[in-house]
Each structure stands twice: as structure tokens, then as C-alpha cells.
Amino acid sequence: MTGAEPAVPGFEALWSVVIGGVVPGPEPLSCYCCSCCRRLRLLPFGIIMCFRLSLISGSGLVLLCLVLGAVRSYALELNWKDSTNATCLYAKWQMNFTIYYETTNKTHKTVTISDVGKNVTYNGSSCGDDQNGPKIAVQFGSGFSWMVNFTKEESSYLIDSISFSYNTNDTTTFPDAKHKGIVPVNKSAAIKIPLNNIFRCNSLLTIESDNVIQHYWDVHVQAFVQNGTVSKKEYLCDKDKTSTTVAPIIHTTVPSPTTTPTSKQKPKVGTYSVTNGNGTCLLATMGLQLNITQEKVASVININPNTTDFTGSCHPQTAQLRLNSSIIKYLEFIFAMKNENRFYLKEVNASMFLANGSVFSIANNNLSYWDAPLGSSYMCNKEQTVSVSGTFQINTFDLRVQPFNVKEGKYSTAQDCSADDDNYLVPIAVGAALAGVLILVLLAYFIGLKRHHAGYEQF
């Protein structure tokens, strides 16, 4: 969306860019653009996009301030107004999508759409009328659209259904896609909220349907806003109600951003599994320790399996394990096949809350860890490090995974990691030393015996 292309009639966009939080010109930041912005936000080293609203009669008005900061996720905020300029629908949230699709060579690929806040429009959003309820309609990227519908009951309203569609004709996002065209995904939500309450869910909400995994977090939404004022009374999602236990975070100052601290406390070992229509399709047992470094300050998070939720999905060529808790929005391990006869850890995606209130997000789809033959499991009892980036590493303890060909819900024969192979070096070295000593003793015996016989021959 640009200033030359308004998202809706009467929506005039006037945007100013601020680099590093410094506004050009003599005016202080607190007063800059006061005449054109109803709401203004700024993150350190961020970019402010400021939109001015033109009042029009008989149509909705949108109020949106996008903040593009160092965090690799984008918050969406919508304040939709009716013909009297009163707020009727409010929403603020973050979301991303993981799409699984088939390629022309009969393999499968996954693509994650996370830059949802870029080039966004809200065409089709509505306060509703006597026949239709309110709805939020969002368009972004190359042919992506998302919509949520609301319905009203006597004393409550419902987040009724969620629709998402993507266009595989976009060869940049979906290279070598076998099926071309717009793919719709519809899912019933049926979340009931009391009237004059704002729904809040900071925890990760996941919807999986038709080869698409939808992630939502930091959600604040209220439909049927009364008297034009967004309610301060919150209705919490179930996950926010139960997320009371926080994983331990240890902060230390380190000499360089690449130094990884070591937690004195070893993480608990958790057991995770994923099922599909044929039963258990993925097994994982491991203790997990997350190491994050930002501005020379390192955080170590030990994942507590007792307070961690897990889900996932299994496909012919890929498998996914996804963890989340009150601190971790999501931690995804994506496995893939190699040469049709081996598997390995190909991708890690993570997003989590830090103690300073910021959100740390990272993704790497070009990894190569935990390699083992298909039909077996991968095991490593010693501590291992998965280096996702220079600022994020995962330490694993007592690891065992099998993302494919799980039979009867049990692990197959394990292939040990190279670290465990070191356990055999000591007995091998001892055995070799004993064999060497035995050989020396035998040589000494035969040499002595030969000299003894030579002495008799001289008489």
C-alpha cells in the first residue's frame, strides 16, 4: 500500500520514515506528525509509517500504525468505524502461516509466510448490518487474503469462522508448484466471548487445516463495540488462563555476542509425539536449552516439558514438531528426507518473549543435523548444540528422535551420534594397549627361548 493507492475510499495515506528514532527537522518526536496520526508508536531503530484519515460519510474508516522494528514479526492493528465515526470493530494481533505444497517433480515443500504486515490492505472489512455480522478482511503479499467473521448472540458474540487463501501462481513464493491457482482454506473457530468484552490471547493459537498451519498470538479483538469505546474488560483464552508457570531464565553478561553461556541447571527431558490418521508418526525425547544473545547479553531458557504444549504434522517428505509455552510462542523442528533413504533436521523456527518485554524471532531452513537412515531413530545421549544462527543455539540432552516410519508407537533401532561414539574410544584404547603388552611379552619370551637354545649348542 502506498500513498498513491489508498486501501479504501476516503483513506488518505501520508507516511513519514524515521530511521533510528530520529525525526528530520527541528520538531521533537513527541510532536512530529501530531496533525496526521491518531496513534503513534516507535521501537528503537524502527520505521514509523504514519497514516492520515480523511473523514467521509457512510463508509468505514481504518486507523492503523505499523511499526517495523528489529523483531521479525509484524503487528496488525485495525480500528474500524461506522458512518457516525464511532468504533464498531477493533483488533490487534500477529499471525503467520506455514503452507505445505506439492511440486512438479512429486516432492513436497513448505513455505512460511511471516511478513504479513507488509503491503497490507483491509478491503471488505465491515461493521456489519442487520443481515451480516462484522468481519475483518486482510490482503497482503502476492495474492494472500485472510478473513474472520463474527456473529452475535443474546449476551455474547462469536469469532465464527476464519478463511485464508493463497495463490500458487506466485512462482517466487511457490517455486515449481504442481497445482496452480488460488487455494482456499476455511476453518470454523466458534470462540464465544461475552458482549462488551475484548478477547485477549497472548499465547500461541494454532489452526491446522488443508496443508496450512496458521499461527496467531498477541491477539486483542472486540466486535460489536458499544458506544464507540473499546472495552477494558478482558476475556482470556484458555491458554492464557493456564499459562502461570514460567520457564527459568538466566541472564549473564558475556564478552562477545557469539559467546554462548552455559546454564548450571540441566533441563528436564521431555517426551513428545505427533499423530495422524495412521497413529503415531513422529517421536522425540530430549532435554532442551535455548541460548539467546542480544547486545552482548545472553539469556538461557531451559524448557520445562511439564508446562510445554506440543503439536505437529507428518507428510510424505517432511515432518514437524512444534512446541509452545507461556514464554515460547513457538519452537518448530522441521525434518526432511535426504536421497529417499535418510532423514535429517532441516529447519528450525522460533519466536519467544524475552525478559525485557521484547520478542525474539529467528528462522533457518538450511540446517543439517540429526542425520540417520530411514526406518531408524537418531540418538545422542551427550550434550549437542544446534546452531540456528550466531545469536541463537539449542543445546540438546539425552536426545532421541524418529520423524518417519514409526511403527506401533515405538522407536526403531537407533543410530548413535558421533559424540556417543567417543564413549567407545576408552575401551578400544585399553584393549589395544593390552594387546600391545601381550605382543611384547610373547616377543620377549621367544627371543629369550632362542638365546637359551643357542647357549646349549656351544658345548
Coordinates of all heavy atoms in Angstrom, one line a residue, residues 128-134 150-151:
G128 N -20.7 -4.6 9.8 CA -21.9 -5.5 9.8 C -23.2 -4.7 9.7 O -23.2 -3.5 9.8
D129 N -24.3 -5.4 9.4 CA -25.6 -4.8 9.3 C -26.6 -5.8 9.9 O -26.3 -6.7 10.6 CB -25.9 -4.4 7.9 CG -25.7 -5.5 6.9 OD1 -26.0 -6.7 7.3 OD2 -25.3 -5.3 5.8
D130 N -27.9 -5.5 9.6 CA -29.0 -6.4 10.1 C -28.9 -7.8 9.6 O -29.4 -8.7 10.2 CB -30.3 -5.8 9.8 CG -30.6 -4.4 10.4 OD1 -29.9 -4.2 11.5 OD2 -31.4 -3.6 9.9
Q131 N -28.3 -8.0 8.4 CA -28.2 -9.3 7.8 C -26.9 -10.0 7.9 O -26.8 -11.2 8.0 CB -28.6 -9.2 6.3 CG -30.1 -8.8 6.1 CD -30.4 -8.7 4.6 OE1 -29.5 -8.7 3.8 NE2 -31.7 -8.6 4.3
N132 N -25.8 -9.2 8.0 CA -24.5 -9.8 8.1 C -23.7 -9.3 9.3 O -23.8 -8.1 9.6 CB -23.7 -9.5 6.8 CG -24.4 -10.0 5.6 OD1 -24.5 -11.2 5.4 ND2 -24.8 -9.1 4.7
G133 N -22.9 -10.1 9.9 CA -22.1 -9.7 11.1 C -20.9 -9.0 10.6 O -20.5 -8.9 9.5
P134 N -20.1 -8.4 11.6 CA -18.9 -7.8 11.3 C -17.9 -8.8 10.7 O -17.9 -10.0 11.0 CB -18.4 -7.2 12.6 CG -19.6 -7.3 13.5 CD -20.5 -8.4 13.0
F150 N -17.7 -12.6 12.4 CA -18.2 -12.6 13.8 C -19.8 -12.7 13.7 O -20.4 -12.2 12.8 CB -17.9 -11.3 14.5 CG -16.4 -11.0 14.6 CD1 -15.7 -10.4 13.6 CD2 -15.7 -11.4 15.7 CE1 -14.4 -10.1 13.7 CE2 -14.3 -11.2 15.8 CZ -13.7 -10.5 14.8
T151 N -20.3 -13.3 14.7 CA -21.8 -13.4 14.8 C -22.2 -13.0 16.2 O -21.4 -13.1 17.2 CB -22.3 -14.8 14.5 OG1 -21.7 -15.8 15.3 CG2 -22.1 -15.2 13.0

